[in-house]
Amino acid sequence: MIRKVLIAEDHESASISVQKTLEELNITSIDYAYYCDEALLRIRKAIQNNDSYDLLITDLYFEEDHNRQALSGGAALITAARHVQPDLRVLVFSLESQSTVIGALYQELEIDGFVRKARHDTQELKKAVDCIAANRVYYSPGLSKEIRTENTYNFTEFDIAIISLLAKGYRQKDIPAYLLQRQIRPSGLSSIEKRLNLIKEKFNFSSNEQLVAFCKDYGII
């Protein structure tokens, strides 16, 4: 479920458009920031107030002006935001069109979705938010095949840890307590579901059992 959203966007018209789209999805707890530094400050304050954001929607590129910023753009904001809130879900909304750049966002920054600013982008935003709310990674229909073929999947230590637990018979809903007890981060159920869904989508698996069998066959676990 997505209850509270932060929009990081330096163009007011785009920010208002995203806000209206979210309101049509009955999401009304919405904040926005015109600068990346401001967005990170809001994320920190929300955590301190025990009212953290469920989703960050950010552009990649922010125009420079007289206000000097420590964070240079959306990618830097995502990295910094995930450092203070590892389970924060991230949707990138940008004019970027290069598949290598977009693929790197999924592979290296582990974003939850990407929507390109273009015709009918509000409808795609709705689909992306609904997908992310269901703890699935959203791939734009026009980009998914290209991204998947250009970017091989590298299993992280976190991936291996949760898949190994599944192989040992742990139920998915019991894994967060195991990780938390051993101070393994992230440990939230939504983070675990997101990672497993991402891997299954990458290999076109429909179940955790298929994923575990694959990892055993190829010596990943």
Side-chain angles (χ1 to χ4, degrees):
M1 179 179 179
I2 294 177
R3 179 189 58 85
K4 186 176 181 181
V5 179
L6 174 62
I7 303 168
E9 168 63 61
D10 58 351
H11 289 171
E12 185 176 4
S13 59
S15 179
I16 292 173
S17 176
V18 174
Q19 182 174 335
K20 288 182 177 179
T21 300
L22 292 173
E23 289 173 349
E24 290 176 7
L25 293 172
N26 295 317
I27 299 172
T28 56
S29 183
I30 305 166
D31 293 325
Y32 57 88
Y34 294 122
Y35 298 94
C36 293
D37 288 13
E38 177 190 358
L40 182 60
L41 181 61
R42 284 184 174 273
I43 292 169
R44 284 175 171 159
K45 285 186 175 180
I47 294 172
Q48 291 173 357
N49 294 332
N50 293 317
D51 189 26
S52 59
Y53 292 100
D54 301 304
L55 175 67
L56 167 66
I57 300 178
T58 181
D59 197 350
L60 285 179
Y61 308 111
F62 291 73
E63 293 181 9
E64 295 184 4
D65 60 14
H66 60 282
N67 291 309
R68 299 180 65 86
Q69 301 292 301
L71 299 175
S72 57
L77 170 60
I78 294 168
T79 300
R82 285 273 180 73
H83 181 73
V84 298
Q85 187 181 338
D87 63 347
L88 178 64
R89 287 171 281 188
V90 177
L91 172 61
V92 174
F93 185 45
S94 172
L95 284 169
E96 180 59 63
S97 61
Q98 294 187 42
S99 60
T100 52
V101 174
I102 299 169
L105 294 173
Y106 283 101
Q107 187 72 20
E108 298 172 14
L109 298 184
E110 300 182 357
I111 65 170
D112 298 274
F114 177 93
V115 173
R116 187 169 184 269
K117 293 178 179 178
R119 294 185 183 93
H120 310 300
D121 54 15
T122 57
Q123 295 305 311
E124 191 173 349
L125 274 173
K126 290 179 181 179
K127 293 178 182 178
V129 173
D130 282 339
C131 184
I132 294 170
N135 291 316
R136 292 185 287 115
V137 176
Y138 178 79
Y139 291 94
S140 173
L143 296 169
S144 58
K145 290 183 179 179
E146 194 172 0
I147 290 172
R148 293 184 192 199
T149 54
E150 289 187 1
N151 293 275
T152 57
Y153 189 86
N154 295 318
F155 285 86
T156 66
E157 291 185 8
F158 179 68
D159 297 335
I160 294 171
I162 59 179
I163 296 171
S164 296
L165 290 171
L166 289 174
K168 292 176 181 177
Y170 279 78
R171 293 179 299 178
Q172 186 170 310
K173 66 179 183 179
D174 295 331
I175 293 178
Y178 179 96
L179 298 180
L180 187 61
Q181 187 178 29
R182 287 158 181 78
Q183 298 184 335
I184 298 175
R185 298 286 191 275
S187 59
L189 182 58
S190 63
S191 296
I192 293 168
E193 290 175 344
K194 182 185 76 172
R195 293 302 300 172
L196 290 173
N197 286 332
L198 185 152
I199 302 169
K200 285 187 289 187
E201 286 186 17
K202 182 70 180 180
F203 293 99
N204 198 28
F205 295 149
S206 59
S207 68
N208 288 341
E209 289 76 14
Q210 287 177 299
L211 175 58
V212 169
F214 171 84
C215 291
K216 285 182 176 179
D217 290 343
Y218 284 85
I220 297 168
I221 59 173

